Amino acid sequence: MLDFRDTVQSAQDGNEEAFARLWREYQPGLLRYLRIKASPVAEDLAADIWLRVLKALPSFEGDEQGFRGWLYTTARNRLTDWYRTGERRPDLIEYSSLVILPAVNNVEDEVAERSATERAVALIAELPPDQAEAVMLRIVVGLDVARVADLMERSPGSIRVLCHRGLRRLEQRLVEIEQPTPVPAGAGVDEGSTKGFRLHA
Amino acid sequence: MHEDRLAGTQSGTDGVDEFGNVVALANLTSGGLADLLAAAAGPALPHELRGEFAARTAFQAAVDSWPAPRRHLVRTPAVVAVGTVATMLLATTGLAAASVLPGSAGRAVDGILGSVGVDVGPPASTPVATPSDGPSAPSASHTAVEAVGVRHVGCSIGDTAVAGNTATQPRTASCVIRVPRTTSARSVPATKSTPAVTVRAATAAPASRPVGPTSRRGAGGRASGGRGTTTPPTTLPGGGTTRGGNLGGGTCKGGADGTTSGAGSGDTTTTTTTTITTAATTVAAAGCGHHGGHHGAGGGTAPTTTTTTTTTTTTTTTTTLPTEP
């Protein structure tokens, strides 16, 4: 369990290992958040966000919730810049360029774990943008309602409603996945008509 | 068919539908939704930690660009204690040299400092620095600073000691004291991190109080006021009202006790290292606060100037000393 205050103070004093602990703690959540907002460039944006955090780290004061709030505020600001400056460009990837890399760990376990997390994030990303963001920040990242409201510039009540609606939609989506709509007899097999969640192409 | 999932207790989100009606929420503790949310918030996956090396590299680069005090500040009690002790020692030396400590305290301090090789000597009765004054060899018998072509009165930050100049409005709130290399006063090498020293006014001045610059001039009065502010003191201890001697924001009134002086005209300008500067500032306030009456009549004439050290770094500190009981 990360001892937040000591770790932050140690990082502020220049301790690389302390910063690495912070990074490992918060990077996954940040990546998943960015994947629902800007999936193609999530890792690039995450790196840029950490650079901004590093620049201001010496002046940070607060608890863990404060740090999370600060991190995601920085992320949101970076996303805004990304949208405004037109950096967002569609990445066209040819199928032939996809490479299957050899696994280094237990293939089955890793695929299963990656599947569950990535499936979950992908389902959340299917929600309307506001609901997806509210669910991600509130439930996945773990920010409290007040901080999410500040981040999203909405009222706390609005955040609660967005979370509620998002969860309801997720539940309905799960039902659809578990009980996909049967394909009419005689129809050709078409991947696009399959409602079940697919991991990859 | 999935009503069981909808039943259950509310957990973390408001069950309010779009019409504002309270509805039962899904049970987030079990079932598909709970599993989905748990997976979304699950532990890091290997590919999510791929960028750690780059992050560490970025951290190292960032640390180099951080402000020095933060980068080099080591917050250990031992370091803080050592810094405090060093500051107090130098301040005590200055106060003792300036003979602004009460008699018994002064004797005690003299004894202590003497045991460690610091000779604070008797108060100097050197003439006021005049424009024609030039550098003179510092006396080995005491740590009094002698004029080194410095004419202006008192303590001012950043002021260049140029013969013929008078004290100008200091740019910062702390005193710069130039001490001669050959004096017996110890000099402390500049450090990058110099803790700000704030001494709140108290009712008595124990022997261990920070000692200030080598000015021998008694203060003009007591330092009142609260916390030291950035009001720039233009005089050394004993500032009195002369030259805006409001050390640390308090008001040193020269008139009441030392009527003729407290003028703080002790032309003491000593440039020293950062640490000493800090101490000096502290002292200055102390002197002002405590000994206005004792040396008031002296007229603040001791131009104690000594040349000195290398570092030009100045530290702004705010000090407020205890008022006299």
Side-chain angles (χ1 to χ4, degrees), chain B:
Chain B
M1 69 177 67
H2 295 282
E3 290 79 1
D4 56 329
R5 289 190 182 182
L6 298 177
T9 58
Q10 188 170 334
S11 59
T13 59
D14 288 345
V16 178
D17 65 10
E18 53 270 33
F19 303 108
N21 301 320
V22 177
V23 298
L25 286 180
N27 188 344
L28 298 180
T29 60
S30 63
L33 185 57
D35 294 339
L36 182 146
L37 296 175
L45 298 174
H47 72 280
E48 292 176 330
L49 299 179
R50 274 188 310 212
E52 180 173 344
F53 179 78
R56 285 173 176 262
T57 303
F59 175 78
Q60 291 170 358
V63 166
D64 291 338
S65 66
W66 285 350
R70 169 62 74 175
R71 173 160 45 103
H72 292 294
L73 180 63
V74 180
R75 303 180 197 175
T76 63
V79 172
V80 172
V82 168
T84 303
V85 168
T87 302
M88 297 291 284
L89 176 64
L90 293 165
T92 304
T93 304
L95 267 181
S99 296
V100 294
L101 293 175
S104 58
R107 288 190 291 275
V109 169
D110 287 351
I112 293 170
L113 293 177
S115 67
V116 295
V118 178
D119 177 10
V120 296
S125 57
T126 52
V128 181
T130 63
S132 60
D133 281 350
S136 58
S139 165
S141 64
H142 58 77
T143 54
V145 294
E146 299 179 348
V148 190
V150 176
R151 286 194 321 144
H152 61 272
V153 173
C155 174
S156 52
I157 297 303
D159 290 345
T160 303
V162 175
N165 290 344
T166 57
T168 57
Q169 188 69 17
R171 293 194 286 278
T172 68
S174 59
C175 293
V176 175
I177 300 172
R178 299 181 180 154
V179 293
R181 290 177 184 171
T182 55
T183 61
S184 58
R186 291 188 175 187
S187 64
V188 175
T191 58
K192 284 190 177 179
S193 60
T194 303
V197 176
T198 301
V199 179
R200 187 166 290 286
T203 57
S208 59
R209 281 292 176 185
V211 198
T214 53
S215 170
R216 299 300 166 77
R217 275 316 101 197
R222 60 188 70 217
S224 60
R227 229 169 152 69
T229 64
T230 56
T231 305
T234 59
T235 62
L236 273 185
T241 54
T242 306
R243 321 237 174 210
N246 288 342
L247 284 169
T251 303
C252 293
K253 297 187 172 58
D257 298 319
T259 53
T260 56
S261 58
S265 56
D267 301 300
T268 300
T269 47
T270 18
T271 308
T272 180
T273 63
T274 301
T275 306
I276 293 179
T277 299
T278 302
T281 301
T282 304
V283 173
C288 181
H290 289 280
H291 299 283
H294 296 271
H295 301 278
T301 55
T304 50
T305 47
T306 352
T307 47
T308 236
T309 13
T310 57
T311 312
T312 59
T313 307
T314 60
T315 301
T316 301
T317 59
T318 57
T319 53
T320 304
L321 274 204
T323 55
E324 292 193 39

Side-chain angles (χ1 to χ4, degrees), chain A residues 42-182:
Chain A
E43 292 190 1
D44 293 339
L45 290 179
D48 198 23
I49 289 162
W50 279 109
L51 284 177
R52 295 184 178 199
V53 168
L54 281 173
K55 190 176 180 181
L57 185 61
S59 59
F60 169 77
E61 291 183 2
D63 58 7
E64 185 176 6
Q65 277 286 317
F67 183 83
R68 286 179 191 266
W70 176 45
L71 177 66
Y72 285 90
T73 299
T74 306
R76 226 165 176 271
N77 292 338
R78 183 64 186 91
L79 278 166
T80 301
D81 293 342
W82 182 69
Y83 285 124
R84 285 180 182 171
T85 58
E87 294 177 61
R88 179 179 50 171
R89 299 185 190 86
D91 290 335
L92 301 177
I93 303 175
E94 292 188 7
Y95 185 83
S96 59
S97 65
L98 294 176
V99 177
I100 300 177
L101 299 175
V104 296
N105 299 324
N106 185 312
V107 178
E108 292 180 355
D109 290 344
E110 186 174 344
V111 169
E113 287 177 0
R114 183 170 180 164
S115 298
T117 300
E118 293 206 341
R119 284 177 59 179
V121 173
L123 278 176
I124 294 174
E126 290 181 2
L127 296 172
D130 287 347
Q131 291 180 16
E133 186 171 8
V135 168
M136 180 61 72
L137 291 174
R138 178 74 181 93
I139 297 177
V140 177
V141 172
L143 290 175
D144 55 33
V145 173
R147 288 188 198 275
V148 176
D150 286 341
L151 266 174
M152 295 181 64
E153 298 178 352
R154 289 171 174 264
S155 66
S158 174
I159 297 301
R160 292 190 185 94
V161 170
L162 287 173
C163 288
H164 169 69
R165 292 176 180 174
L167 292 173
R168 292 287 291 268
R169 279 182 181 254
L170 282 174
E171 196 163 32
Q172 292 168 3
R173 187 74 180 94
L174 284 174
V175 170
E176 293 174 1
I177 291 173
E178 290 179 3
Q179 294 185 348
T181 303

